[in-house]
Amino acid sequence: MLLVVGRIGKPHGIRGEVTVEVRTDEPEARFAPGSVLVTEPGAVPTEPGAWRVPPKLTVESARWHQGRLLVAFSGVPGRDVAEALRNTLVGVDSADVDAPADPEEFHDHQLVGLAVVTPDGERLGEVDRIDHAPASDLLVVRRPEGRTALIPFVKAIVPEVDLAGGRVVVDPPGGLLDL
């Protein structure tokens, strides 16, 4: 499974550097020189013979500039080629990512697909994805009737995550699932 760690933005300068919208807690590790990132193109060139985004990009250099990450990739010699990378998602394979050291911390891909149950064992649905909101992360739960529910991923509402058992226990306050 591809874990997105960034989205390539506009070119910076004429030497092929690009801005990157960071989508990882570990940008220094993910964008370290020599790191290989898998690509998911945002746009496909329409002109015949146009430069195509390769399936993998190798980080040549990365630096912070005015709060933005600037990255140079091997094989991207100038601004025109860098422009072709715009909106490309870059990521890593989930198999290459170590599990978090903190037992109370989880990667999104570990939670997606888990059953969501109440403390009594009543099935409420399945984790569809995780939304990262400013106040807290939200479990997006696909309910059996096809609707979705948003459950704040906080200890008071989600007291247990059982990866081995394939379930997330939630104790929602009244009305939360009716929104």
Side-chain angles (χ1 to χ4, degrees), residues 145-157:
E145 65 273 6
R147 294 181 312 136
T148 59
L150 299 176
I151 299 176
F153 193 29
V154 294
K155 190 76 169 166
I157 299 173

Side-chain angles (χ1 to χ4, degrees), residues 33-69:
S35 297
V36 177
L37 302 173
V38 178
T39 63
E40 185 175 298
V44 177
T46 54
E47 300 172 21
W51 191 80
R52 292 193 176 276
V53 176
K56 294 183 179 185
L57 291 169
T58 302
V59 176
E60 197 170 274
S61 67
R63 63 187 174 101
W64 291 96
H65 176 69
Q66 296 181 349
R68 290 188 175 161
L69 182 63

Side-chain angles (χ1 to χ4, degrees), residues 10 12 18-20 22 63-71:
K10 63 184 182 178
H12 179 82
V18 293
T19 60
V20 173
V22 177
R63 63 187 174 101
W64 291 96
H65 176 69
Q66 296 181 349
R68 290 188 175 161
L69 182 63
L70 300 179
V71 179

Side-chain angles (χ1 to χ4, degrees), residues 47-121:
E47 300 172 21
W51 191 80
R52 292 193 176 276
V53 176
K56 294 183 179 185
L57 291 169
T58 302
V59 176
E60 197 170 274
S61 67
R63 63 187 174 101
W64 291 96
H65 176 69
Q66 296 181 349
R68 290 188 175 161
L69 182 63
L70 300 179
V71 179
F73 293 105
S74 299
V76 180
R79 186 175 186 90
D80 292 340
V81 174
E83 181 64 44
L85 292 174
R86 189 186 289 240
N87 293 323
T88 300
L89 297 176
V90 292
V92 295
D93 189 335
S94 61
D96 298 336
V97 177
D98 295 331
D102 182 354
E104 297 292 315
E105 188 177 322
F106 305 95
H107 291 297
D108 292 2
H109 74 278
Q110 293 176 295
L111 301 171
V112 173
L114 295 181
V116 178
V117 298
T118 65
D120 299 332

Side-chain angles (χ1 to χ4, degrees), residues 171-179:
D171 191 8
L176 180 67
L177 300 175
D178 299 329
L179 296 176

Side-chain angles (χ1 to χ4, degrees), residues 113-127 139 141-144 151 157-162 165-172 177:
L114 295 181
V116 178
V117 298
T118 65
D120 299 332
E122 176 190 351
R123 186 174 172 87
L124 299 175
E126 183 178 294
V127 177
L139 297 176
V141 177
R142 187 175 42 250
R143 304 275 287 147
I151 299 176
I157 299 173
V158 184
E160 181 183 351
V161 175
D162 181 7
R167 67 190 187 117
V168 175
V169 178
V170 299
D171 191 8
L177 300 175

